[in-house]
Amino acid sequence: GIINIKSTSGSTFNIDNSFFEWIKEIDLDNKISIYEDDFYKKELSSIENDTRERKLLANKMGEGWIIQIDSDEFFLNFNGFCQYLKKHEHLLNGNKKIQIAAYWITIFKKLNEGVLYIENTEKFYLATNTNSYIIARNCKVQTIRVPFLVVHYSWARSEEELNQKISNWGHNKDFDIDKYLNFWKNIDKRNYKEFSNIHPFIK
């Protein structure tokens, strides 16, 4: 497997060979390309490294619609979204930079009885015709909102997995990780209605 990879915060991790074997098993038409690069620069912050990684990936993807979906995001109607992009292909003509935002259904926590999810209209940037990312997937250009939903398993992980995520993602310097992890651990089916905002750094 690939070893000694650095996250955007500089932590080291490995990818087991079984992952690549799984890719071969499901990718019967050889559609998947794996792009390897050095996505960590010690002189940059975590979010700056995240943004740089997205720019490098966008450059690798080439021209046209650039769609970036993270591994914890599951599109509910990707075919419909592709049809939308084809219908609006004229937006690629000319020099006007735009980005497209869809909406998350954020899964907060898995319980024995089911899941806790966040019912709101939180948009996220999904596609663009430019690679000029400013902060993560946000290019800070004209935004078009589209009525497509993506299930986001942002927080619905084991405690170990969640700790790994929030210690290494681009926003790891924006909040108290230990305090938030304890907050997450104590939310269950009896008390979840007591909290109006569970985002770690958006007040």
Side-chain angles (χ1 to χ4, degrees):
I2 302 178
I3 59 174
N4 295 327
I5 309 170
K6 288 189 179 296
S7 71
T8 55
S9 64
S11 299
T12 301
F13 64 97
N14 305 323
I15 301 178
D16 192 82
N17 271 327
S18 60
F19 171 76
F20 301 99
E21 294 301 321
W22 174 70
I23 291 294
K24 290 178 182 177
E25 289 175 9
I26 65 171
D27 187 21
L28 301 179
D29 297 322
N30 296 314
K31 293 182 177 180
I32 298 175
S33 298
I34 296 177
Y35 171 40
E36 298 177 44
D37 209 326
D38 183 0
F39 299 118
Y40 173 71
K41 297 294 183 185
K42 64 180 180 180
E43 65 271 18
L44 300 179
S45 67
S46 297
I47 194 63
E48 287 171 337
N49 274 316
D50 182 300
T51 306
R52 175 178 174 272
E53 178 180 348
R54 295 185 185 281
K55 285 183 178 180
L56 291 171
L57 180 57
N59 290 338
K60 191 74 173 178
M61 294 168 72
E63 296 182 351
W65 289 116
I66 298 169
I67 305 171
Q68 292 193 2
I69 302 173
D70 290 353
S71 59
D72 61 355
E73 295 169 346
F74 298 84
F75 226 107
L76 295 184
N77 181 13
F78 190 67
N79 183 60
F81 180 65
C82 290
Q83 292 301 316
Y84 172 90
L85 293 182
K86 290 177 181 177
K87 183 178 179 181
H88 295 83
E89 202 164 6
H90 62 278
L91 294 173
L92 292 172
N93 300 329
N95 298 318
K96 190 169 186 178
K97 297 179 179 180
I98 62 169
Q99 61 188 1
I100 296 174
Y103 295 92
W104 274 328
I105 300 172
T106 301
I107 309 299
F108 180 69
K109 195 173 186 179
K110 293 180 182 178
L111 304 175
N112 292 331
E113 302 82 5
V115 297
L116 297 177
Y117 71 96
I118 302 168
E119 188 175 35
N120 61 10
T121 55
E122 184 179 5
K123 74 177 188 298
F124 75 104
Y125 303 104
L126 170 66
T128 183
N129 64 351
T130 177
N131 63 359
S132 56
Y133 295 98
I134 304 299
I135 300 176
R137 279 179 287 194
N138 188 354
C139 299
K140 294 197 173 181
V141 294
Q142 179 185 344
T143 301
I144 299 173
R145 297 192 183 196
V146 295
F148 290 94
L149 299 175
V150 173
V151 176
H152 187 202
Y153 282 84
S154 182
W155 313 102
R157 308 163 187 242
S158 68
E159 182 179 340
E160 181 182 1
E161 289 170 340
L162 182 58
N163 186 45
Q164 181 183 36
K165 170 194 165 73
I166 62 180
S167 297
N168 289 285
W169 71 335
H171 300 288
N172 65 336
K173 302 298 183 184
D174 296 327
F175 65 104
D176 186 322
I177 291 172
D178 291 334
K179 183 178 179 180
Y180 186 78
L181 190 60
N182 285 328
F183 167 74
W184 176 87
K185 285 164 59 176
N186 289 320
I187 293 183
D188 55 32
K189 69 174 185 177
R190 295 182 298 273
N191 64 10
Y192 73 92
K193 291 184 179 181
E194 299 174 12
F195 306 98
S196 59
N197 177 31
I198 55 82
H199 203 288
F201 58 89
I202 296 179
K203 305 300 182 185

